[in-house]
Amino acid sequence: MFGIKLPGGAVDKAELQRQAVERAKAEWLKQLHEMVEADPETAERLNKALKDRCGKDKTLPYDFKKALLDKAREYERNANMRQCDRLLHEAARLAAEEHLTERAQKLGAGRRYFSKACTLGADEDFRHAAQRLMETIMLTGGVHKDGPSRAKPADFAPKTPNRAKG
């Protein structure tokens, strides 16, 4: 094949094996690169596929596989953090517009992605920011009532006449 030919026409098996490993590394890195901007479901699927392949492939070095899986986990965590942030900001906008049922749906979905990101090792800054945003969303909306209420009854008193001298 593409191996080095030794005197007498023999092919260096070590060189062939090294080339096969390099091709496999390039293929793995290509699959890892697909995870960079993937949505959380795709990132999770690709991460699981990489884990399964790493378990089966015995030719690649351990350090390469460990670094690859760490990077895949980081990309999956980032995808979940992005989705959580997007959903929480949508929920905040809906809360400000008094759409409480849609707010609750977005908030629930955001919490799911938040918990997945935390499981994958999200940093403390993200955790605190997301928790503060969730608390703010829960306290926003549903407070303003149109019309009279018990706290602000309707004003039934007659208007005072304008007695200014003119």
Side-chain angles (χ1 to χ4, degrees), residues 4-157:
I4 299 175
K5 293 194 176 195
L6 297 175
V11 176
D12 185 12
K13 290 186 182 197
E15 180 62 24
L16 284 176
Q17 187 176 13
R18 187 193 63 75
Q19 287 177 357
V21 167
E22 291 301 319
R23 281 193 304 271
K25 282 183 180 180
E27 187 179 321
W28 285 60
L29 292 173
K30 182 182 174 192
Q31 189 174 359
L32 180 69
H33 186 67
E34 293 175 11
M35 292 180 69
V36 173
E37 293 295 323
D39 60 293
E41 290 75 21
T42 305
E44 183 178 8
R45 181 179 49 78
L46 290 172
N47 190 13
K48 186 175 181 339
L50 282 173
K51 281 182 188 176
D52 291 344
R53 258 181 92 186
C54 277
K56 294 176 185 174
D57 193 348
K58 304 297 181 198
T59 60
L60 290 175
Y62 173 77
D63 294 338
F64 176 79
K65 289 195 280 188
K66 182 174 179 349
L68 184 86
L69 291 178
D70 288 346
K71 202 63 157 166
R73 182 181 174 97
E74 178 185 337
Y75 288 157
E76 184 181 356
R77 178 181 62 236
N78 289 344
N80 281 288
M81 289 168 58
R82 276 193 313 270
Q83 187 73 355
C84 171
D85 190 53
R86 187 183 66 76
L87 287 170
L88 290 180
H89 280 87
E90 282 183 34
R93 182 185 53 80
L94 290 168
E97 295 173 359
E98 299 287 327
H99 299 292
L100 300 182
T101 54
E102 294 93 352
R103 175 202 75 174
Q105 291 170 347
K106 297 288 183 184
L107 185 60
R111 283 183 172 151
R112 265 195 322 276
Y113 289 112
F114 172 74
S115 110
K116 183 73 174 172
C118 289
T119 302
L120 292 168
D123 61 343
E124 288 297 316
D125 290 339
F126 172 76
R127 290 177 188 211
H128 292 306
Q131 287 171 342
R132 280 192 305 269
L133 185 54
M134 284 186 259
E135 289 171 5
T136 302
I137 291 167
M138 290 302 296
L139 294 173
T140 303
V143 177
H144 178 70
K145 297 277 186 190
D146 291 332
S149 67
R150 191 169 180 193
K152 285 189 161 186
D155 188 16
F156 295 115

